Amino acid sequence: MRPSIRLTLTLAFGGLLTVVLGIFGVVMSNAVQGSLAREMDRRLVVRASEIRLALWPGGQPADAEVFKRSDLDFSENKLIARLAFVQLVDTSGRVLAASDSLEPFENTLAPPPAGPVAEDAAPWFTDTTVLDGIPLRVLTVPLFSGRSMVGLLLVGQDRRTLQEETSRLASLLAILWATALAGGSLLAWITIRQGLAPLTAMARHAQRIAGERLFHERIAGATRADEVGWLVVVVNQLLATVESTLDQHRQFVADTSHELRNPLLTIQTNLDLLDRIDDPAERAACLRETRNEVQRMSRLVIDLLLLARGEEGLILERSKVALRELVYQAAHNAQRHTSGQHIEVSAPAEIEVSADEGRVHQILGNLIENALRHTPSGGVVRLVLRTEEGGALLAVRDTGAGIPPEDLPHVFERFYRRKNTPGNGSGLGLSIVKHLAEAHGGRVAAESTVGEGSCFSVWLPGARAPVGPAPQPVGAS
């Protein structure tokens, strides 16, 4: 099971805080320890200067003979007596005088230098340990008489004080680190919890919507000016899409049931009549009507399957399609099935597009069938082909009754039929035209004037320049 975002962010913040505080503690500890060590060295230098001035007013012995005088007894020197770990040695390393504090340690601070020391040599520091394991910081000051070194003055300081201060500082930093880490992690947990609270509430609301199928509800918080508000807007848009899709699905099922119910009822009625009538003419009429209803149901099922494939992504078999020839062929085929309407074609030049020829023929067939259904006998259905906006425009205009403005936006919807519409169409023809056109990357449009007629057009992209002579129309003007 994956950890929650809250726990993950808190652990990440705690880890980052641990690293930052750890680095800060190390830097702080090293800085303080270095400062204390420098202060200890400074004090050793001051002590060495005080001792030299106390022993020799000029700070340096006049000659080597001064090392043989009795005033080098440090036990009688109050200044040296209050200073810990002071030692005076000659050039051979022999201890000439030492403070009382060195007696338990055999009066030894550090060995003399292995070689000669230059006249301008600076004092140096060494770290040593006396016999009882006491760590010392020792300043060695060379003493000169003229150009010759006559001895060494060694002043030491117990480093345990420095180590104790460093240890106390480390303990204090550890306590501060633990306190800051605990407090920071707790603050991060509370802050992250508050920050994720809207997401938690949104998730619970969305879960309730999904569980109870309340897709008409919307999640609150869309007015927030942050990422949560953006997410709420996107989720609400998704809910609106789901609601619209479900509504369309319900309407589709209801419309399909309605469209199938009438043919099935007619078929069932005719089959019942066949058992009760003996007249051959009446039986033939029943069979003919039944056959027509079966064909109508077949067309309806085929149209529904086509629309379903269109929603999933219709597979098109594209090739070069000569539209002018296709328009004349469609007009010629439709003219044989008219009821007194006349079909005209206006296609002055050949236009080629990359399209599925069978689907384009279906588009033309549906548009012409729709126009003939709404055009009375003696009316005119006009087919127009021309280039427009780099594509090919196929338009079918009729001289029917026209479409009221309130109905015009809905003519491409499934099963949409106006009241008092002539014919027995399924209401899917124009919807199929729209799906096929959009599958080709095109678009559809509808114009109408009540009392004058309607014009339905399809625009297909990628038209080529006119090629070849136009074939002569057959049965169409």
Side-chain angles (χ1 to χ4, degrees):
M1 181 177 178
R2 297 184 62 181
S4 64
I5 297 179
R6 184 186 311 166
L7 179 60
T8 302
L9 292 177
T10 303
L11 291 178
F13 178 81
L16 179 62
L17 187 62
T18 300
V19 173
V20 172
L21 292 177
I23 295 175
F24 174 78
V26 171
V27 172
M28 178 64 71
S29 177
N30 291 338
V32 173
Q33 187 174 359
S35 177
L36 293 176
R38 287 190 296 273
E39 178 63 20
M40 176 178 288
D41 291 345
R42 188 191 67 80
R43 291 181 180 180
L44 288 176
V45 172
V46 173
R47 289 178 179 179
S49 299
E50 293 175 347
I51 294 173
R52 289 166 59 189
L53 290 175
L55 294 176
W56 305 289
Q60 294 284 359
D63 51 44
E65 294 300 324
V66 299
F67 288 94
K68 300 177 181 179
R69 299 202 307 265
S70 61
D71 60 358
L72 293 179
D73 186 2
F74 288 171
S75 60
E76 297 180 0
N77 192 303
K78 296 181 179 181
L79 173 65
I80 299 177
R82 66 183 177 85
L83 297 176
F85 309 116
V86 180
Q87 179 178 282
L88 184 66
V89 299
D90 60 14
T91 55
S92 63
R94 182 171 58 90
V95 177
L96 302 177
S99 59
D100 295 339
S101 59
L102 283 174
E103 289 183 2
F105 311 115
E106 299 181 357
N107 295 332
T108 300
L109 278 180
V117 178
E119 180 183 358
D120 57 351
W124 64 87
F125 293 94
T126 55
D127 292 321
T128 186
T129 303
V130 293
L131 294 180
D132 284 358
I134 299 176
L136 299 179
R137 179 71 166 172
V138 179
L139 171 63
T140 302
V141 181
L143 301 174
F144 291 90
S145 176
R147 294 180 175 273
S148 301
M149 187 181 75
V150 295
L152 298 171
L153 175 64
L154 293 91
V155 181
Q157 175 68 44
D158 191 343
R159 285 194 300 121
R160 287 180 297 182
T161 304
L162 175 62
Q163 293 176 349
E164 291 173 358
E165 292 293 335
T166 303
S167 178
R168 283 196 294 270
L169 175 62
S171 300
L172 178 62
L173 289 176
I175 295 174
L176 293 176
W177 174 83
T179 303
L181 180 60
S185 299
L186 179 60
L187 180 62
W189 175 268
I190 296 174
T191 303
I192 294 171
R193 180 180 181 181
Q194 292 177 348
L196 294 178
L199 296 180
T200 303
M202 184 175 65
R204 290 174 179 170
H205 193 177
Q207 187 177 25
R208 185 178 66 84
I209 290 175
E212 301 178 13
R213 301 182 67 83
L214 303 174
F215 298 108
H216 62 279
E217 291 189 8
R218 297 296 178 265
I219 297 175
T223 57
R224 293 174 58 112
D226 55 8
E227 290 79 1
V228 175
W230 184 23
L231 180 60
V232 171
V233 170
V234 173
V235 172
N236 285 339
Q237 291 175 348
L238 179 61
L239 290 174
T241 302
V242 172
E243 181 185 12
S244 176
T245 302
L246 290 177
D247 290 342
Q248 293 176 4
H249 176 71
R250 296 188 190 100
Q251 186 63 39
F252 178 76
V253 172
D255 292 340
T256 303
S257 301
H258 175 74
E259 292 296 329
L260 292 176
R261 181 180 59 187
N262 291 337
L264 289 174
L265 182 58
T266 301
I267 293 173
Q268 183 178 3
T269 301
N270 288 333
L271 291 177
D272 292 339
L273 288 175
L274 287 175
D275 293 334
R276 297 197 297 267
I277 60 176
D278 297 325
D279 182 56
E282 293 182 359
R283 291 177 63 87
C286 288
L287 290 174
R288 185 168 53 253
E289 186 178 6
T290 301
R291 189 177 295 110
N292 291 337
E293 293 300 328
V294 170
Q295 291 176 354
R296 179 186 172 191
M297 289 177 58
S298 299
R299 289 195 303 269
L300 178 61
V301 171
I302 292 173
D303 290 344
L304 291 174
L305 289 175
L306 177 60
L307 290 175
R309 293 194 188 99
E311 291 180 349
E312 296 175 357
L314 188 64
I315 299 176
L316 301 177
E317 298 179 0
R318 291 182 180 268
S319 62
K320 293 181 180 180
V321 179
L323 293 180
R324 189 168 187 263
E325 179 180 356
L326 200 62
V327 168
Y328 276 114
Q329 182 182 359
H332 174 68
N333 294 338
Q335 186 67 65
R336 295 181 298 179
H337 303 286
T338 61
S339 301
Q341 302 94 335
H342 186 64
I343 298 179
E344 296 179 355
V345 177
S346 174
E350 180 63 276
I351 301 175
E352 282 189 354
V353 295
S354 175
D356 188 321
E357 182 174 352
R359 298 305 183 186
V360 176
H361 191 277
Q362 189 174 6
I363 290 174
L364 285 170
N366 285 6
L367 290 178
I368 296 173
E369 180 182 354
N370 178 75
L372 291 175
R373 184 180 301 115
H374 298 88
T375 301
S377 178
V380 177
V381 174
R382 184 176 179 82
L383 279 62
V384 178
L385 171 65
R386 67 172 184 268
T387 58
E388 183 176 294
E389 299 179 2
L393 183 70
L394 294 168
V396 178
R397 183 180 296 276
D398 62 60
T399 56
I403 304 173
E406 63 272 14
D407 292 328
L408 195 59
H410 305 286
V411 293
F412 291 104
E413 296 178 2
R414 296 174 181 176
F415 298 111
Y416 184 80
R417 290 196 298 271
R418 306 192 315 274
K419 294 181 179 180
N420 302 322
T421 300
N424 59 349
S426 66
L428 294 176
L430 293 179
S431 180
I432 291 175
V433 169
K434 181 176 182 291
H435 277 275
L436 293 179
E438 292 177 348
H440 283 84
R443 59 179 183 268
V444 295
E447 302 174 359
S448 184
T449 302
V450 176
E452 296 182 8
S454 305
C455 179
F456 294 88
S457 60
V458 174
W459 180 86
L460 299 176
R464 291 171 172 261
V467 293
Q472 294 298 324
V474 181
S477 60

